[in-house]
PDB file of all heavy atoms in Angstrom:
ATOM      1  N   PHE A 230      46.616  26.819 -36.571  1.00 98.00           N
ATOM      2  CA  PHE A 230      46.779  28.198 -35.853  1.00 98.00           C
ATOM      3  C   PHE A 230      47.744  27.918 -34.709  1.00 98.00           C
ATOM      4  O   PHE A 230      47.732  26.946 -33.951  1.00 98.00           O
ATOM      5  CB  PHE A 230      45.469  28.785 -35.367  1.00 98.00           C
ATOM      6  CG  PHE A 230      44.589  29.188 -36.458  1.00 98.00           C
ATOM      7  CD1 PHE A 230      44.758  28.878 -37.823  1.00 98.00           C
ATOM      8  CD2 PHE A 230      43.465  29.981 -36.130  1.00 98.00           C
ATOM      9  CE1 PHE A 230      43.898  29.322 -38.794  1.00 98.00           C
ATOM     10  CE2 PHE A 230      42.578  30.367 -37.195  1.00 98.00           C
ATOM     11  CZ  PHE A 230      42.804  30.124 -38.469  1.00 98.00           C
ATOM     12  N   THR A 231      48.472  29.031 -34.304  1.00 98.00           N
ATOM     13  CA  THR A 231      49.325  28.978 -33.201  1.00 98.00           C
ATOM     14  C   THR A 231      49.200  30.325 -32.400  1.00 98.00           C
ATOM     15  O   THR A 231      49.361  31.408 -33.043  1.00 98.00           O
ATOM     16  CB  THR A 231      50.819  28.773 -33.553  1.00 98.00           C
ATOM     17  OG1 THR A 231      50.898  27.562 -34.271  1.00 98.00           O
ATOM     18  CG2 THR A 231      51.653  28.700 -32.241  1.00 98.00           C
ATOM     19  N   ILE A 232      48.866  30.238 -31.129  1.00 98.00           N
ATOM     20  CA  ILE A 232      48.827  31.506 -30.358  1.00 98.00           C
ATOM     21  C   ILE A 232      50.040  31.607 -29.512  1.00 98.00           C
ATOM     22  O   ILE A 232      50.546  30.611 -28.892  1.00 98.00           O
ATOM     23  CB  ILE A 232      47.500  31.439 -29.412  1.00 98.00           C
ATOM     24  CG1 ILE A 232      47.417  32.768 -28.661  1.00 98.00           C
ATOM     25  CG2 ILE A 232      47.537  30.298 -28.471  1.00 98.00           C
ATOM     26  CD1 ILE A 232      46.051  32.931 -28.053  1.00 98.00           C
ATOM     27  N   THR A 233      50.604  32.708 -29.526  1.00 97.00           N
ATOM     28  CA  THR A 233      51.768  33.008 -28.697  1.00 97.00           C
ATOM     29  C   THR A 233      51.688  34.414 -28.170  1.00 97.00           C
ATOM     30  O   THR A 233      50.734  35.252 -28.599  1.00 97.00           O
ATOM     31  CB  THR A 233      53.068  33.002 -29.597  1.00 97.00           C
ATOM     32  OG1 THR A 233      53.028  33.923 -30.690  1.00 97.00           O
ATOM     33  CG2 THR A 233      53.296  31.517 -30.122  1.00 97.00           C
ATOM     34  N   ARG A 234      52.575  34.725 -27.248  1.00 94.00           N
ATOM     35  CA  ARG A 234      52.473  36.079 -26.650  1.00 94.00           C
ATOM     36  C   ARG A 234      53.985  36.454 -26.318  1.00 94.00           C
ATOM     37  O   ARG A 234      54.812  35.580 -25.986  1.00 94.00           O
ATOM     38  CB  ARG A 234      51.730  36.166 -25.412  1.00 94.00           C
ATOM     39  CG  ARG A 234      52.215  35.433 -24.193  1.00 94.00           C
ATOM     40  CD  ARG A 234      51.055  35.380 -23.067  1.00 94.00           C
ATOM     41  NE  ARG A 234      50.565  36.673 -22.732  1.00 94.00           N
ATOM     42  CZ  ARG A 234      49.535  36.972 -22.033  1.00 94.00           C
ATOM     43  NH1 ARG A 234      48.632  36.006 -21.823  1.00 94.00           N
ATOM     44  NH2 ARG A 234      49.160  38.201 -21.726  1.00 94.00           N
ATOM     45  N   ASP A 235      54.201  37.789 -26.476  1.00 92.00           N
ATOM     46  CA  ASP A 235      55.539  38.308 -26.044  1.00 92.00           C
ATOM     47  C   ASP A 235      55.154  39.343 -24.931  1.00 92.00           C
ATOM     48  O   ASP A 235      54.982  40.472 -25.296  1.00 92.00           O
ATOM     49  CB  ASP A 235      56.229  38.920 -27.274  1.00 92.00           C
ATOM     50  CG  ASP A 235      57.647  39.456 -26.916  1.00 92.00           C
ATOM     51  OD1 ASP A 235      57.919  39.666 -25.780  1.00 92.00           O
ATOM     52  OD2 ASP A 235      58.483  39.651 -27.962  1.00 92.00           O
ATOM     53  N   ASN A 236      55.337  38.987 -23.726  1.00 83.00           N
ATOM     54  CA  ASN A 236      54.983  39.836 -22.663  1.00 83.00           C
ATOM     55  C   ASN A 236      55.942  41.008 -22.563  1.00 83.00           C
ATOM     56  O   ASN A 236      55.555  42.127 -22.152  1.00 83.00           O
ATOM     57  CB  ASN A 236      54.898  39.051 -21.386  1.00 83.00           C
ATOM     58  CG  ASN A 236      53.703  38.181 -21.261  1.00 83.00           C
ATOM     59  OD1 ASN A 236      52.763  38.303 -22.087  1.00 83.00           O
ATOM     60  ND2 ASN A 236      53.747  37.303 -20.215  1.00 83.00           N
ATOM     61  N   ALA A 237      57.158  40.877 -23.035  1.00 85.00           N
ATOM     62  CA  ALA A 237      58.098  41.997 -23.016  1.00 85.00           C
ATOM     63  C   ALA A 237      57.612  43.146 -23.912  1.00 85.00           C
ATOM     64  O   ALA A 237      57.834  44.298 -23.693  1.00 85.00           O
ATOM     65  CB  ALA A 237      59.479  41.564 -23.388  1.00 85.00           C
ATOM     66  N   GLU A 238      56.925  42.682 -25.018  1.00 83.00           N
ATOM     67  CA  GLU A 238      56.365  43.688 -25.962  1.00 83.00           C
ATOM     68  C   GLU A 238      54.896  43.827 -25.755  1.00 83.00           C
ATOM     69  O   GLU A 238      54.239  44.698 -26.499  1.00 83.00           O
ATOM     70  CB  GLU A 238      56.674  43.139 -27.399  1.00 83.00           C
ATOM     71  CG  GLU A 238      58.114  42.900 -27.803  1.00 83.00           C
ATOM     72  CD  GLU A 238      58.854  44.223 -27.905  1.00 83.00           C
ATOM     73  OE1 GLU A 238      58.179  45.229 -28.211  1.00 83.00           O
ATOM     74  OE2 GLU A 238      60.015  44.273 -27.841  1.00 83.00           O
ATOM     75  N   SER A 239      54.294  43.191 -24.761  1.00 89.00           N
ATOM     76  CA  SER A 239      52.909  43.376 -24.594  1.00 89.00           C
ATOM     77  C   SER A 239      52.064  43.041 -25.780  1.00 89.00           C
ATOM     78  O   SER A 239      51.117  43.784 -26.069  1.00 89.00           O
ATOM     79  CB  SER A 239      52.563  44.762 -24.009  1.00 89.00           C
ATOM     80  OG  SER A 239      53.212  44.996 -22.771  1.00 89.00           O
ATOM     81  N   THR A 240      52.430  41.983 -26.554  1.00 94.00           N
ATOM     82  CA  THR A 240      51.803  41.699 -27.726  1.00 94.00           C
ATOM     83  C   THR A 240      51.397  40.227 -27.766  1.00 94.00           C
ATOM     84  O   THR A 240      52.128  39.357 -27.420  1.00 94.00           O
ATOM     85  CB  THR A 240      52.781  41.931 -28.877  1.00 94.00           C
ATOM     86  OG1 THR A 240      53.219  43.329 -28.852  1.00 94.00           O
ATOM     87  CG2 THR A 240      52.063  41.658 -30.262  1.00 94.00           C
ATOM     88  N   LEU A 241      50.192  39.956 -28.293  1.00 96.00           N
ATOM     89  CA  LEU A 241      49.587  38.769 -28.589  1.00 96.00           C
ATOM     90  C   LEU A 241      49.599  38.426 -30.015  1.00 96.00           C
ATOM     91  O   LEU A 241      49.298  39.350 -30.812  1.00 96.00           O
ATOM     92  CB  LEU A 241      48.163  38.646 -27.954  1.00 96.00           C
ATOM     93  CG  LEU A 241      47.346  37.293 -28.177  1.00 96.00           C
ATOM     94  CD1 LEU A 241      47.944  36.252 -27.261  1.00 96.00           C
ATOM     95  CD2 LEU A 241      45.967  37.565 -27.923  1.00 96.00           C
ATOM     96  N   TYR A 242      49.907  37.183 -30.333  1.00 97.00           N
ATOM     97  CA  TYR A 242      49.903  36.846 -31.852  1.00 97.00           C
ATOM     98  C   TYR A 242      49.037  35.608 -32.081  1.00 97.00           C
ATOM     99  O   TYR A 242      48.808  34.789 -31.270  1.00 97.00           O
ATOM    100  CB  TYR A 242      51.307  36.519 -32.313  1.00 97.00           C
ATOM    101  CG  TYR A 242      52.430  37.551 -32.111  1.00 97.00           C
ATOM    102  CD1 TYR A 242      53.214  37.671 -31.085  1.00 97.00           C
ATOM    103  CD2 TYR A 242      52.498  38.549 -33.063  1.00 97.00           C
ATOM    104  CE1 TYR A 242      54.086  38.644 -30.872  1.00 97.00           C
ATOM    105  CE2 TYR A 242      53.360  39.642 -32.877  1.00 97.00           C
ATOM    106  CZ  TYR A 242      54.167  39.586 -31.764  1.00 97.00           C
ATOM    107  OH  TYR A 242      55.095  40.653 -31.696  1.00 97.00           O
ATOM    108  N   LEU A 243      48.502  35.599 -33.249  1.00 98.00           N
ATOM    109  CA  LEU A 243      47.822  34.392 -33.799  1.00 98.00           C
ATOM    110  C   LEU A 243      48.499  34.195 -35.155  1.00 98.00           C
ATOM    111  O   LEU A 243      48.155  34.921 -36.191  1.00 98.00           O
ATOM    112  CB  LEU A 243      46.379  34.592 -33.877  1.00 98.00           C
ATOM    113  CG  LEU A 243      45.607  33.392 -34.328  1.00 98.00           C
ATOM    114  CD1 LEU A 243      45.679  32.289 -33.262  1.00 98.00           C
ATOM    115  CD2 LEU A 243      44.119  33.713 -34.601  1.00 98.00           C
ATOM    116  N   GLN A 244      49.266  33.127 -35.226  1.00 98.00           N
ATOM    117  CA  GLN A 244      49.795  32.676 -36.585  1.00 98.00           C
ATOM    118  C   GLN A 244      48.783  31.737 -37.204  1.00 98.00           C
ATOM    119  O   GLN A 244      48.469  30.694 -36.668  1.00 98.00           O
ATOM    120  CB  GLN A 244      51.126  31.989 -36.407  1.00 98.00           C
ATOM    121  CG  GLN A 244      51.741  31.521 -37.753  1.00 98.00           C
ATOM    122  CD  GLN A 244      52.102  32.633 -38.714  1.00 98.00           C
ATOM    123  OE1 GLN A 244      52.726  33.618 -38.278  1.00 98.00           O
ATOM    124  NE2 GLN A 244      51.678  32.523 -39.946  1.00 98.00           N
ATOM    125  N   MET A 245      48.289  32.092 -38.398  1.00 98.00           N
ATOM    126  CA  MET A 245      47.280  31.327 -39.015  1.00 98.00           C
ATOM    127  C   MET A 245      47.869  30.809 -40.376  1.00 98.00           C
ATOM    128  O   MET A 245      48.128  31.554 -41.298  1.00 98.00           O
ATOM    129  CB  MET A 245      45.954  32.151 -39.315  1.00 98.00           C
ATOM    130  CG  MET A 245      45.554  32.803 -38.029  1.00 98.00           C
ATOM    131  SD  MET A 245      43.912  33.712 -38.396  1.00 98.00           S
ATOM    132  CE  MET A 245      44.458  35.039 -39.422  1.00 98.00           C
ATOM    133  N   ASN A 246      47.925  29.481 -40.426  1.00 98.00           N
ATOM    134  CA  ASN A 246      48.509  28.778 -41.641  1.00 98.00           C
ATOM    135  C   ASN A 246      47.381  27.942 -42.272  1.00 98.00           C
ATOM    136  O   ASN A 246      46.333  27.596 -41.592  1.00 98.00           O
ATOM    137  CB  ASN A 246      49.616  27.964 -41.281  1.00 98.00           C
ATOM    138  CG  ASN A 246      50.839  28.698 -40.736  1.00 98.00           C
ATOM    139  OD1 ASN A 246      51.036  29.879 -41.158  1.00 98.00           O
ATOM    140  ND2 ASN A 246      51.526  28.126 -39.856  1.00 98.00           N
ATOM    141  N   SER A 247      47.520  27.568 -43.526  1.00 98.00           N
ATOM    142  CA  SER A 247      46.607  26.733 -44.233  1.00 98.00           C
ATOM    143  C   SER A 247      45.141  27.220 -44.090  1.00 98.00           C
ATOM    144  O   SER A 247      44.226  26.583 -43.786  1.00 98.00           O
ATOM    145  CB  SER A 247      46.750  25.329 -43.682  1.00 98.00           C
ATOM    146  OG  SER A 247      47.986  24.755 -43.913  1.00 98.00           O
ATOM    147  N   LEU A 248      44.980  28.538 -44.281  1.00 98.00           N
ATOM    148  CA  LEU A 248      43.734  29.213 -44.130  1.00 98.00           C
ATOM    149  C   LEU A 248      42.669  28.687 -45.088  1.00 98.00           C
ATOM    150  O   LEU A 248      43.011  28.337 -46.265  1.00 98.00           O
ATOM    151  CB  LEU A 248      43.897  30.646 -44.276  1.00 98.00           C
ATOM    152  CG  LEU A 248      44.521  31.347 -43.113  1.00 98.00           C
ATOM    153  CD1 LEU A 248      44.985  32.842 -43.512  1.00 98.00           C
ATOM    154  CD2 LEU A 248      43.400  31.458 -41.950  1.00 98.00           C
ATOM    155  N   GLU A 249      41.473  28.544 -44.679  1.00 97.00           N
ATOM    156  CA  GLU A 249      40.344  28.072 -45.414  1.00 97.00           C
ATOM    157  C   GLU A 249      39.289  29.129 -45.495  1.00 97.00           C
ATOM    158  O   GLU A 249      39.151  29.920 -44.632  1.00 97.00           O
ATOM    159  CB  GLU A 249      39.816  26.753 -44.780  1.00 97.00           C
ATOM    160  CG  GLU A 249      40.850  25.708 -44.586  1.00 97.00           C
ATOM    161  CD  GLU A 249      40.383  24.621 -43.640  1.00 97.00           C
ATOM    162  OE1 GLU A 249      39.276  24.703 -42.982  1.00 97.00           O
ATOM    163  OE2 GLU A 249      41.069  23.580 -43.661  1.00 97.00           O
ATOM    164  N   PRO A 250      38.423  29.120 -46.514  1.00 97.00           N
ATOM    165  CA  PRO A 250      37.362  30.034 -46.558  1.00 97.00           C
ATOM    166  C   PRO A 250      36.512  30.166 -45.332  1.00 97.00           C
ATOM    167  O   PRO A 250      36.003  31.147 -44.970  1.00 97.00           O
ATOM    168  CB  PRO A 250      36.494  29.549 -47.861  1.00 97.00           C
ATOM    169  CG  PRO A 250      37.528  28.957 -48.668  1.00 97.00           C
ATOM    170  CD  PRO A 250      38.480  28.275 -47.744  1.00 97.00           C
ATOM    171  N   GLU A 251      36.350  28.917 -44.619  1.00 97.00           N
ATOM    172  CA  GLU A 251      35.527  28.873 -43.403  1.00 97.00           C
ATOM    173  C   GLU A 251      36.183  29.707 -42.326  1.00 97.00           C
ATOM    174  O   GLU A 251      35.523  29.908 -41.284  1.00 97.00           O
ATOM    175  CB  GLU A 251      35.404  27.426 -42.981  1.00 97.00           C
ATOM    176  CG  GLU A 251      34.618  26.612 -43.929  1.00 97.00           C
ATOM    177  CD  GLU A 251      35.248  26.170 -45.159  1.00 97.00           C
ATOM    178  OE1 GLU A 251      36.485  26.206 -45.257  1.00 97.00           O
ATOM    179  OE2 GLU A 251      34.556  25.718 -46.142  1.00 97.00           O
ATOM    180  N   ASP A 252      37.499  30.037 -42.424  1.00 98.00           N
ATOM    181  CA  ASP A 252      38.180  30.964 -41.489  1.00 98.00           C
ATOM    182  C   ASP A 252      37.798  32.456 -41.631  1.00 98.00           C
ATOM    183  O   ASP A 252      38.161  33.157 -40.706  1.00 98.00           O
ATOM    184  CB  ASP A 252      39.593  30.853 -41.587  1.00 98.00           C
ATOM    185  CG  ASP A 252      40.111  29.336 -41.215  1.00 98.00           C
ATOM    186  OD1 ASP A 252      39.604  28.804 -40.199  1.00 98.00           O
ATOM    187  OD2 ASP A 252      41.014  28.800 -41.992  1.00 98.00           O
ATOM    188  N   THR A 253      37.064  32.702 -42.648  1.00 98.00           N
ATOM    189  CA  THR A 253      36.667  34.120 -42.857  1.00 98.00           C
ATOM    190  C   THR A 253      35.738  34.642 -41.667  1.00 98.00           C
ATOM    191  O   THR A 253      34.731  34.109 -41.342  1.00 98.00           O
ATOM    192  CB  THR A 253      35.990  34.278 -44.199  1.00 98.00           C
ATOM    193  OG1 THR A 253      36.806  33.905 -45.187  1.00 98.00           O
ATOM    194  CG2 THR A 253      35.429  35.704 -44.432  1.00 98.00           C
TER     195      THR A 253
END
C-alpha cells in the first residue's frame, strides 16, 4: 500500500496493490 496526498486538491489517497482476502 502507498499513502499519498494532494493538498492542492485536498485529497488523500491509498493505493492498494497485491490485495489479499485479509485486506477485506
Side-chain angles (χ1 to χ4, degrees):
F230 291 10
T231 303
I232 185 170
T233 57
R234 68 191 303 161
D235 183 344
N236 286 347
E238 299 288 340
S239 299
T240 304
L241 178 74
Y242 299 98
L243 184 68
Q244 179 66 47
M245 305 185 293
N246 298 326
S247 301
L248 283 162
E249 304 167 351
E251 293 76 17
D252 296 316
T253 296

